[in-house]
PDB file of all heavy atoms in Angstrom:
ATOM      1  N   ALA A  20       0.829  -1.208   0.000  1.00  0.00           N
ATOM      2  CA  ALA A  20       0.000   0.000   0.000  1.00  0.00           C
ATOM      3  C   ALA A  20       0.863   1.258   0.000  1.00  0.00           C
ATOM      4  O   ALA A  20       0.577   2.231  -0.723  1.00  0.00           O
ATOM      5  CB  ALA A  20      -0.929  -0.004   1.212  1.00  0.00           C
ATOM      6  N   LEU A  21       1.935   1.255   0.784  1.00  0.00           N
ATOM      7  CA  LEU A  21       2.821   2.417   0.832  1.00  0.00           C
ATOM      8  C   LEU A  21       3.611   2.569  -0.459  1.00  0.00           C
ATOM      9  O   LEU A  21       3.796   3.685  -0.964  1.00  0.00           O
ATOM     10  CB  LEU A  21       3.765   2.302   2.030  1.00  0.00           C
ATOM     11  CG  LEU A  21       3.126   2.453   3.415  1.00  0.00           C
ATOM     12  CD1 LEU A  21       4.154   2.217   4.504  1.00  0.00           C
ATOM     13  CD2 LEU A  21       2.493   3.825   3.590  1.00  0.00           C
ATOM     14  N   GLU A  22       4.106   1.450  -1.010  1.00  0.00           N
ATOM     15  CA  GLU A  22       4.856   1.507  -2.269  1.00  0.00           C
ATOM     16  C   GLU A  22       4.003   2.095  -3.388  1.00  0.00           C
ATOM     17  O   GLU A  22       4.465   2.944  -4.164  1.00  0.00           O
ATOM     18  CB  GLU A  22       5.331   0.108  -2.670  1.00  0.00           C
ATOM     19  CG  GLU A  22       6.531  -0.384  -1.892  1.00  0.00           C
ATOM     20  CD  GLU A  22       6.939  -1.794  -2.300  1.00  0.00           C
ATOM     21  OE1 GLU A  22       6.073  -2.544  -2.809  1.00  0.00           O
ATOM     22  OE2 GLU A  22       8.115  -2.140  -2.102  1.00  0.00           O
ATOM     23  N   ASP A  23       2.761   1.641  -3.494  1.00  0.00           N
ATOM     24  CA  ASP A  23       1.872   2.134  -4.547  1.00  0.00           C
ATOM     25  C   ASP A  23       1.608   3.625  -4.375  1.00  0.00           C
ATOM     26  O   ASP A  23       1.577   4.383  -5.359  1.00  0.00           O
ATOM     27  CB  ASP A  23       0.544   1.370  -4.522  1.00  0.00           C
ATOM     28  CG  ASP A  23       0.701  -0.074  -4.992  1.00  0.00           C
ATOM     29  OD1 ASP A  23       1.756  -0.399  -5.573  1.00  0.00           O
ATOM     30  OD2 ASP A  23      -0.228  -0.871  -4.754  1.00  0.00           O
ATOM     31  N   ALA A  24       1.402   4.063  -3.116  1.00  0.00           N
ATOM     32  CA  ALA A  24       1.147   5.480  -2.861  1.00  0.00           C
ATOM     33  C   ALA A  24       2.363   6.324  -3.232  1.00  0.00           C
ATOM     34  O   ALA A  24       2.230   7.414  -3.807  1.00  0.00           O
ATOM     35  CB  ALA A  24       0.786   5.694  -1.395  1.00  0.00           C
ATOM     36  N   CYS A  25       3.545   5.837  -2.920  1.00  0.00           N
ATOM     37  CA  CYS A  25       4.777   6.568  -3.258  1.00  0.00           C
ATOM     38  C   CYS A  25       4.959   6.659  -4.768  1.00  0.00           C
ATOM     39  O   CYS A  25       5.339   7.704  -5.306  1.00  0.00           O
ATOM     40  CB  CYS A  25       5.984   5.884  -2.624  1.00  0.00           C
ATOM     41  SG  CYS A  25       6.049   5.986  -0.832  1.00  0.00           S
ATOM     42  N   SER A  26       4.704   5.558  -5.465  1.00  0.00           N
ATOM     43  CA  SER A  26       4.868   5.541  -6.920  1.00  0.00           C
ATOM     44  C   SER A  26       3.969   6.567  -7.583  1.00  0.00           C
ATOM     45  O   SER A  26       4.341   7.190  -8.584  1.00  0.00           O
ATOM     46  CB  SER A  26       4.570   4.142  -7.471  1.00  0.00           C
ATOM     47  OG  SER A  26       5.493   3.196  -6.957  1.00  0.00           O
ATOM     48  N   ALA A  27       2.778   6.754  -7.016  1.00  0.00           N
ATOM     49  CA  ALA A  27       1.813   7.684  -7.608  1.00  0.00           C
ATOM     50  C   ALA A  27       2.295   9.130  -7.544  1.00  0.00           C
ATOM     51  O   ALA A  27       1.836   9.969  -8.325  1.00  0.00           O
ATOM     52  CB  ALA A  27       0.461   7.546  -6.905  1.00  0.00           C
ATOM     53  N   THR A  28       3.220   9.453  -6.633  1.00  0.00           N
ATOM     54  CA  THR A  28       3.702  10.832  -6.523  1.00  0.00           C
ATOM     55  C   THR A  28       4.701  11.180  -7.615  1.00  0.00           C
ATOM     56  O   THR A  28       4.914  12.359  -7.911  1.00  0.00           O
ATOM     57  CB  THR A  28       4.391  11.066  -5.167  1.00  0.00           C
ATOM     58  OG1 THR A  28       5.612  10.299  -5.106  1.00  0.00           O
ATOM     59  CG2 THR A  28       3.475  10.688  -4.010  1.00  0.00           C
ATOM     60  N   GLY A  29       5.354  10.166  -8.195  1.00  0.00           N
ATOM     61  CA  GLY A  29       6.396  10.425  -9.181  1.00  0.00           C
ATOM     62  C   GLY A  29       7.723  10.829  -8.582  1.00  0.00           C
ATOM     63  O   GLY A  29       8.687  11.088  -9.304  1.00  0.00           O
ATOM     64  N   LEU A  30       7.810  10.874  -7.244  1.00  0.00           N
ATOM     65  CA  LEU A  30       9.062  11.252  -6.590  1.00  0.00           C
ATOM     66  C   LEU A  30      10.002  10.060  -6.478  1.00  0.00           C
ATOM     67  O   LEU A  30       9.584   8.901  -6.510  1.00  0.00           O
ATOM     68  CB  LEU A  30       8.780  11.804  -5.187  1.00  0.00           C
ATOM     69  CG  LEU A  30       7.995  13.118  -5.108  1.00  0.00           C
ATOM     70  CD1 LEU A  30       7.663  13.432  -3.659  1.00  0.00           C
ATOM     71  CD2 LEU A  30       8.794  14.260  -5.724  1.00  0.00           C
ATOM     72  N   GLN A  31      11.294  10.346  -6.330  1.00  0.00           N
ATOM     73  CA  GLN A  31      12.285   9.285  -6.104  1.00  0.00           C
ATOM     74  C   GLN A  31      11.948   8.561  -4.805  1.00  0.00           C
ATOM     75  O   GLN A  31      11.614   9.184  -3.802  1.00  0.00           O
ATOM     76  CB  GLN A  31      13.687   9.886  -6.009  1.00  0.00           C
ATOM     77  CG  GLN A  31      14.788   8.860  -5.730  1.00  0.00           C
ATOM     78  CD  GLN A  31      16.126   9.503  -5.416  1.00  0.00           C
ATOM     79  OE1 GLN A  31      16.223  10.729  -5.296  1.00  0.00           O
ATOM     80  NE2 GLN A  31      17.156   8.704  -5.282  1.00  0.00           N
ATOM     81  N   LEU A  32      12.040   7.234  -4.829  1.00  0.00           N
ATOM     82  CA  LEU A  32      11.765   6.416  -3.653  1.00  0.00           C
ATOM     83  C   LEU A  32      13.029   5.653  -3.273  1.00  0.00           C
ATOM     84  O   LEU A  32      13.560   4.877  -4.070  1.00  0.00           O
ATOM     85  CB  LEU A  32      10.616   5.442  -3.925  1.00  0.00           C
ATOM     86  CG  LEU A  32      10.216   4.523  -2.767  1.00  0.00           C
ATOM     87  CD1 LEU A  32       9.752   5.342  -1.568  1.00  0.00           C
ATOM     88  CD2 LEU A  32       9.134   3.549  -3.195  1.00  0.00           C
ATOM     89  N   VAL A  33      13.505   5.863  -2.051  1.00  0.00           N
ATOM     90  CA  VAL A  33      14.739   5.244  -1.561  1.00  0.00           C
ATOM     91  C   VAL A  33      14.372   4.199  -0.510  1.00  0.00           C
ATOM     92  O   VAL A  33      13.661   4.506   0.448  1.00  0.00           O
ATOM     93  CB  VAL A  33      15.684   6.303  -0.951  1.00  0.00           C
ATOM     94  CG1 VAL A  33      16.921   5.644  -0.355  1.00  0.00           C
ATOM     95  CG2 VAL A  33      16.073   7.331  -2.003  1.00  0.00           C
ATOM     96  N   PRO A  34      14.833   2.953  -0.653  1.00  0.00           N
ATOM     97  CA  PRO A  34      14.502   1.920   0.339  1.00  0.00           C
ATOM     98  C   PRO A  34      15.296   2.082   1.625  1.00  0.00           C
ATOM     99  O   PRO A  34      16.438   2.535   1.607  1.00  0.00           O
ATOM    100  CB  PRO A  34      14.877   0.620  -0.375  1.00  0.00           C
ATOM    101  CG  PRO A  34      15.933   1.016  -1.361  1.00  0.00           C
ATOM    102  CD  PRO A  34      15.605   2.414  -1.788  1.00  0.00           C
ATOM    103  N   ASP A  35      14.681   1.708   2.735  1.00  0.00           N
ATOM    104  CA  ASP A  35      15.322   1.740   4.055  1.00  0.00           C
ATOM    105  C   ASP A  35      14.966   0.450   4.787  1.00  0.00           C
ATOM    106  O   ASP A  35      14.155   0.454   5.717  1.00  0.00           O
ATOM    107  CB  ASP A  35      14.858   2.966   4.834  1.00  0.00           C
ATOM    108  CG  ASP A  35      15.396   2.996   6.262  1.00  0.00           C
ATOM    109  OD1 ASP A  35      16.515   2.503   6.484  1.00  0.00           O
ATOM    110  OD2 ASP A  35      14.684   3.510   7.153  1.00  0.00           O
ATOM    111  N   PRO A  36      15.541  -0.683   4.375  1.00  0.00           N
ATOM    112  CA  PRO A  36      15.199  -1.953   5.023  1.00  0.00           C
ATOM    113  C   PRO A  36      15.614  -1.970   6.489  1.00  0.00           C
ATOM    114  O   PRO A  36      16.708  -1.535   6.842  1.00  0.00           O
ATOM    115  CB  PRO A  36      15.990  -2.985   4.211  1.00  0.00           C
ATOM    116  CG  PRO A  36      17.080  -2.216   3.539  1.00  0.00           C
ATOM    117  CD  PRO A  36      16.540  -0.844   3.311  1.00  0.00           C
ATOM    118  N   GLY A  37      14.705  -2.442   7.335  1.00  0.00           N
ATOM    119  CA  GLY A  37      14.992  -2.514   8.768  1.00  0.00           C
ATOM    120  C   GLY A  37      14.648  -1.264   9.532  1.00  0.00           C
ATOM    121  O   GLY A  37      14.743  -1.234  10.757  1.00  0.00           O
ATOM    122  N   GLY A  38      14.214  -0.184   8.839  1.00  0.00           N
ATOM    123  CA  GLY A  38      13.962   1.085   9.508  1.00  0.00           C
ATOM    124  C   GLY A  38      12.529   1.315   9.919  1.00  0.00           C
ATOM    125  O   GLY A  38      12.185   2.390  10.401  1.00  0.00           O
ATOM    126  N   ALA A  39      11.670   0.312   9.736  1.00  0.00           N
ATOM    127  CA  ALA A  39      10.249   0.474  10.058  1.00  0.00           C
ATOM    128  C   ALA A  39      10.034   0.580  11.561  1.00  0.00           C
ATOM    129  O   ALA A  39      10.882   0.196  12.365  1.00  0.00           O
ATOM    130  CB  ALA A  39       9.453  -0.710   9.510  1.00  0.00           C
ATOM    131  N   ALA A  40       8.862   1.113  11.927  1.00  0.00           N
ATOM    132  CA  ALA A  40       8.429   1.030  13.317  1.00  0.00           C
ATOM    133  C   ALA A  40       8.098  -0.429  13.630  1.00  0.00           C
ATOM    134  O   ALA A  40       7.868  -1.232  12.721  1.00  0.00           O
ATOM    135  CB  ALA A  40       7.199   1.910  13.539  1.00  0.00           C
ATOM    136  N   PHE A  41       8.055  -0.789  14.897  1.00  0.00           N
ATOM    137  CA  PHE A  41       7.840  -2.195  15.246  1.00  0.00           C
ATOM    138  C   PHE A  41       6.472  -2.694  14.810  1.00  0.00           C
ATOM    139  O   PHE A  41       6.261  -3.883  14.623  1.00  0.00           O
ATOM    140  CB  PHE A  41       8.039  -2.417  16.755  1.00  0.00           C
ATOM    141  CG  PHE A  41       6.976  -1.809  17.627  1.00  0.00           C
ATOM    142  CD1 PHE A  41       5.824  -2.519  17.933  1.00  0.00           C
ATOM    143  CD2 PHE A  41       7.128  -0.536  18.158  1.00  0.00           C
ATOM    144  CE1 PHE A  41       4.847  -1.972  18.742  1.00  0.00           C
ATOM    145  CE2 PHE A  41       6.155   0.018  18.968  1.00  0.00           C
ATOM    146  CZ  PHE A  41       5.008  -0.697  19.265  1.00  0.00           C
ATOM    147  N   TYR A  42       5.525  -1.749  14.589  1.00  0.00           N
ATOM    148  CA  TYR A  42       4.155  -2.149  14.283  1.00  0.00           C
ATOM    149  C   TYR A  42       3.800  -2.030  12.806  1.00  0.00           C
ATOM    150  O   TYR A  42       2.677  -2.332  12.423  1.00  0.00           O
ATOM    151  CB  TYR A  42       3.163  -1.318  15.095  1.00  0.00           C
ATOM    152  CG  TYR A  42       3.417   0.176  15.023  1.00  0.00           C
ATOM    153  CD1 TYR A  42       3.085   0.922  13.887  1.00  0.00           C
ATOM    154  CD2 TYR A  42       3.989   0.851  16.095  1.00  0.00           C
ATOM    155  CE1 TYR A  42       3.319   2.270  13.819  1.00  0.00           C
ATOM    156  CE2 TYR A  42       4.217   2.214  16.042  1.00  0.00           C
ATOM    157  CZ  TYR A  42       3.879   2.918  14.897  1.00  0.00           C
ATOM    158  OH  TYR A  42       4.111   4.269  14.837  1.00  0.00           O
ATOM    159  N   GLY A  43       4.734  -1.563  11.951  1.00  0.00           N
ATOM    160  CA  GLY A  43       4.394  -1.457  10.540  1.00  0.00           C
ATOM    161  C   GLY A  43       5.374  -0.592   9.776  1.00  0.00           C
ATOM    162  O   GLY A  43       6.169   0.157  10.360  1.00  0.00           O
ATOM    163  N   PRO A  44       5.325  -0.665   8.437  1.00  0.00           N
ATOM    164  CA  PRO A  44       6.234   0.123   7.593  1.00  0.00           C
ATOM    165  C   PRO A  44       5.849   1.600   7.589  1.00  0.00           C
ATOM    166  O   PRO A  44       4.745   1.967   7.975  1.00  0.00           O
ATOM    167  CB  PRO A  44       6.041  -0.504   6.210  1.00  0.00           C
ATOM    168  CG  PRO A  44       4.647  -1.046   6.236  1.00  0.00           C
ATOM    169  CD  PRO A  44       4.418  -1.514   7.647  1.00  0.00           C
ATOM    170  N   LYS A  45       6.778   2.431   7.143  1.00  0.00           N
ATOM    171  CA  LYS A  45       6.492   3.863   7.098  1.00  0.00           C
ATOM    172  C   LYS A  45       7.156   4.501   5.888  1.00  0.00           C
ATOM    173  O   LYS A  45       8.139   3.980   5.341  1.00  0.00           O
ATOM    174  CB  LYS A  45       6.961   4.567   8.372  1.00  0.00           C
ATOM    175  CG  LYS A  45       8.476   4.701   8.507  1.00  0.00           C
ATOM    176  CD  LYS A  45       8.867   5.525   9.736  1.00  0.00           C
ATOM    177  CE  LYS A  45      10.389   5.637   9.848  1.00  0.00           C
ATOM    178  NZ  LYS A  45      10.805   6.442  11.009  1.00  0.00           N
ATOM    179  N   VAL A  46       6.608   5.633   5.490  1.00  0.00           N
ATOM    180  CA  VAL A  46       7.204   6.477   4.462  1.00  0.00           C
ATOM    181  C   VAL A  46       7.566   7.804   5.106  1.00  0.00           C
ATOM    182  O   VAL A  46       6.781   8.358   5.882  1.00  0.00           O
ATOM    183  CB  VAL A  46       6.232   6.711   3.294  1.00  0.00           C
ATOM    184  CG1 VAL A  46       6.768   7.785   2.347  1.00  0.00           C
ATOM    185  CG2 VAL A  46       5.995   5.417   2.530  1.00  0.00           C
ATOM    186  N   SER A  47       8.745   8.310   4.817  1.00  0.00           N
ATOM    187  CA  SER A  47       9.132   9.637   5.301  1.00  0.00           C
ATOM    188  C   SER A  47       9.471  10.515   4.111  1.00  0.00           C
ATOM    189  O   SER A  47      10.020  10.050   3.108  1.00  0.00           O
ATOM    190  CB  SER A  47      10.321   9.555   6.263  1.00  0.00           C
ATOM    191  OG  SER A  47      11.432   8.960   5.646  1.00  0.00           O
ATOM    192  N   VAL A  48       9.116  11.787   4.224  1.00  0.00           N
ATOM    193  CA  VAL A  48       9.470  12.778   3.214  1.00  0.00           C
ATOM    194  C   VAL A  48      10.812  13.383   3.612  1.00  0.00           C
ATOM    195  O   VAL A  48      10.938  13.964   4.695  1.00  0.00           O
ATOM    196  CB  VAL A  48       8.396  13.876   3.114  1.00  0.00           C
ATOM    197  CG1 VAL A  48       8.805  14.914   2.060  1.00  0.00           C
ATOM    198  CG2 VAL A  48       7.042  13.272   2.767  1.00  0.00           C
ATOM    199  N   GLN A  49      11.799  13.211   2.757  1.00  0.00           N
ATOM    200  CA  GLN A  49      13.123  13.778   2.984  1.00  0.00           C
ATOM    201  C   GLN A  49      13.227  15.077   2.196  1.00  0.00           C
ATOM    202  O   GLN A  49      12.984  15.107   0.992  1.00  0.00           O
ATOM    203  CB  GLN A  49      14.215  12.795   2.544  1.00  0.00           C
ATOM    204  CG  GLN A  49      14.092  11.410   3.166  1.00  0.00           C
ATOM    205  CD  GLN A  49      14.453  11.385   4.630  1.00  0.00           C
ATOM    206  OE1 GLN A  49      15.243  12.204   5.095  1.00  0.00           O
ATOM    207  NE2 GLN A  49      13.891  10.445   5.376  1.00  0.00           N
ATOM    208  N   VAL A  50      13.585  16.162   2.890  1.00  0.00           N
ATOM    209  CA  VAL A  50      13.566  17.496   2.294  1.00  0.00           C
ATOM    210  C   VAL A  50      14.983  18.066   2.268  1.00  0.00           C
ATOM    211  O   VAL A  50      15.701  17.993   3.261  1.00  0.00           O
ATOM    212  CB  VAL A  50      12.656  18.441   3.109  1.00  0.00           C
ATOM    213  CG1 VAL A  50      12.646  19.835   2.496  1.00  0.00           C
ATOM    214  CG2 VAL A  50      11.248  17.885   3.173  1.00  0.00           C
ATOM    215  N   LYS A  51      15.338  18.654   1.126  1.00  0.00           N
ATOM    216  CA  LYS A  51      16.628  19.347   1.037  1.00  0.00           C
ATOM    217  C   LYS A  51      16.413  20.828   1.315  1.00  0.00           C
ATOM    218  O   LYS A  51      15.485  21.443   0.807  1.00  0.00           O
ATOM    219  CB  LYS A  51      17.250  19.154  -0.343  1.00  0.00           C
ATOM    220  CG  LYS A  51      17.770  17.744  -0.571  1.00  0.00           C
ATOM    221  CD  LYS A  51      18.532  17.635  -1.876  1.00  0.00           C
ATOM    222  CE  LYS A  51      19.086  16.225  -2.061  1.00  0.00           C
ATOM    223  NZ  LYS A  51      19.819  16.082  -3.338  1.00  0.00           N
ATOM    224  N   ASP A  52      17.319  21.389   2.140  1.00  0.00           N
ATOM    225  CA  ASP A  52      17.197  22.802   2.482  1.00  0.00           C
ATOM    226  C   ASP A  52      17.994  23.661   1.506  1.00  0.00           C
ATOM    227  O   ASP A  52      18.506  23.171   0.493  1.00  0.00           O
ATOM    228  CB  ASP A  52      17.599  23.046   3.936  1.00  0.00           C
ATOM    229  CG  ASP A  52      19.088  22.813   4.199  1.00  0.00           C
ATOM    230  OD1 ASP A  52      19.868  22.652   3.229  1.00  0.00           O
ATOM    231  OD2 ASP A  52      19.489  22.808   5.378  1.00  0.00           O
ATOM    232  N   ALA A  53      18.106  24.944   1.834  1.00  0.00           N
ATOM    233  CA  ALA A  53      18.717  25.904   0.916  1.00  0.00           C
ATOM    234  C   ALA A  53      20.179  25.611   0.614  1.00  0.00           C
ATOM    235  O   ALA A  53      20.702  26.042  -0.422  1.00  0.00           O
ATOM    236  CB  ALA A  53      18.585  27.316   1.487  1.00  0.00           C
ATOM    237  N   ILE A  54      20.871  24.879   1.494  1.00  0.00           N
ATOM    238  CA  ILE A  54      22.284  24.571   1.232  1.00  0.00           C
ATOM    239  C   ILE A  54      22.498  23.082   0.978  1.00  0.00           C
ATOM    240  O   ILE A  54      23.605  22.572   1.104  1.00  0.00           O
ATOM    241  CB  ILE A  54      23.199  25.086   2.365  1.00  0.00           C
ATOM    242  CG1 ILE A  54      22.821  24.486   3.718  1.00  0.00           C
ATOM    243  CG2 ILE A  54      23.166  26.596   2.428  1.00  0.00           C
ATOM    244  CD1 ILE A  54      23.806  24.855   4.830  1.00  0.00           C
ATOM    245  N   GLY A  55      21.415  22.384   0.624  1.00  0.00           N
ATOM    246  CA  GLY A  55      21.539  21.008   0.150  1.00  0.00           C
ATOM    247  C   GLY A  55      21.537  19.926   1.195  1.00  0.00           C
ATOM    248  O   GLY A  55      21.702  18.754   0.866  1.00  0.00           O
ATOM    249  N   ARG A  56      21.327  20.265   2.469  1.00  0.00           N
ATOM    250  CA  ARG A  56      21.267  19.234   3.504  1.00  0.00           C
ATOM    251  C   ARG A  56      19.891  18.579   3.496  1.00  0.00           C
ATOM    252  O   ARG A  56      18.898  19.212   3.168  1.00  0.00           O
ATOM    253  CB  ARG A  56      21.546  19.838   4.877  1.00  0.00           C
ATOM    254  CG  ARG A  56      22.934  20.418   5.027  1.00  0.00           C
ATOM    255  CD  ARG A  56      23.063  21.190   6.319  1.00  0.00           C
ATOM    256  NE  ARG A  56      22.096  22.278   6.380  1.00  0.00           N
ATOM    257  CZ  ARG A  56      21.978  23.117   7.406  1.00  0.00           C
ATOM    258  NH1 ARG A  56      22.760  22.972   8.460  1.00  0.00           N
ATOM    259  NH2 ARG A  56      21.088  24.095   7.385  1.00  0.00           N
ATOM    260  N   THR A  57      19.852  17.308   3.889  1.00  0.00           N
ATOM    261  CA  THR A  57      18.596  16.566   3.888  1.00  0.00           C
ATOM    262  C   THR A  57      18.061  16.427   5.301  1.00  0.00           C
ATOM    263  O   THR A  57      18.795  16.075   6.228  1.00  0.00           O
ATOM    264  CB  THR A  57      18.806  15.167   3.272  1.00  0.00           C
ATOM    265  OG1 THR A  57      19.260  15.321   1.925  1.00  0.00           O
ATOM    266  CG2 THR A  57      17.510  14.387   3.259  1.00  0.00           C
ATOM    267  N   TRP A  58      16.756  16.681   5.448  1.00  0.00           N
ATOM    268  CA  TRP A  58      16.083  16.571   6.737  1.00  0.00           C
ATOM    269  C   TRP A  58      14.859  15.676   6.574  1.00  0.00           C
ATOM    270  O   TRP A  58      14.121  15.797   5.593  1.00  0.00           O
ATOM    271  CB  TRP A  58      15.607  17.942   7.225  1.00  0.00           C
ATOM    272  CG  TRP A  58      16.680  18.971   7.370  1.00  0.00           C
ATOM    273  CD1 TRP A  58      17.132  19.829   6.409  1.00  0.00           C
ATOM    274  CD2 TRP A  58      17.438  19.269   8.547  1.00  0.00           C
ATOM    275  NE1 TRP A  58      18.110  20.636   6.908  1.00  0.00           N
ATOM    276  CE2 TRP A  58      18.318  20.318   8.223  1.00  0.00           C
ATOM    277  CE3 TRP A  58      17.436  18.757   9.850  1.00  0.00           C
ATOM    278  CZ2 TRP A  58      19.201  20.862   9.151  1.00  0.00           C
ATOM    279  CZ3 TRP A  58      18.324  19.303  10.767  1.00  0.00           C
ATOM    280  CH2 TRP A  58      19.187  20.335  10.421  1.00  0.00           C
ATOM    281  N   GLN A  59      14.637  14.803   7.544  1.00  0.00           N
ATOM    282  CA  GLN A  59      13.394  14.034   7.529  1.00  0.00           C
ATOM    283  C   GLN A  59      12.268  14.905   8.076  1.00  0.00           C
ATOM    284  O   GLN A  59      12.375  15.468   9.148  1.00  0.00           O
ATOM    285  CB  GLN A  59      13.503  12.771   8.373  1.00  0.00           C
ATOM    286  CG  GLN A  59      12.193  11.974   8.417  1.00  0.00           C
ATOM    287  CD  GLN A  59      12.296  10.706   9.230  1.00  0.00           C
ATOM    288  OE1 GLN A  59      13.089   9.826   8.924  1.00  0.00           O
ATOM    289  NE2 GLN A  59      11.497  10.612  10.282  1.00  0.00           N
TER     290      GLN A  59
END
């Protein structure tokens, strides 16, 4: 369900195996700031 929702956005999707919460998978939006750093 999360993969399909991400694909629909057209944005790059980066896998993070093992990073889920204990109760289920998650998607996070990673944002680049004005000097190129990435923030969740």
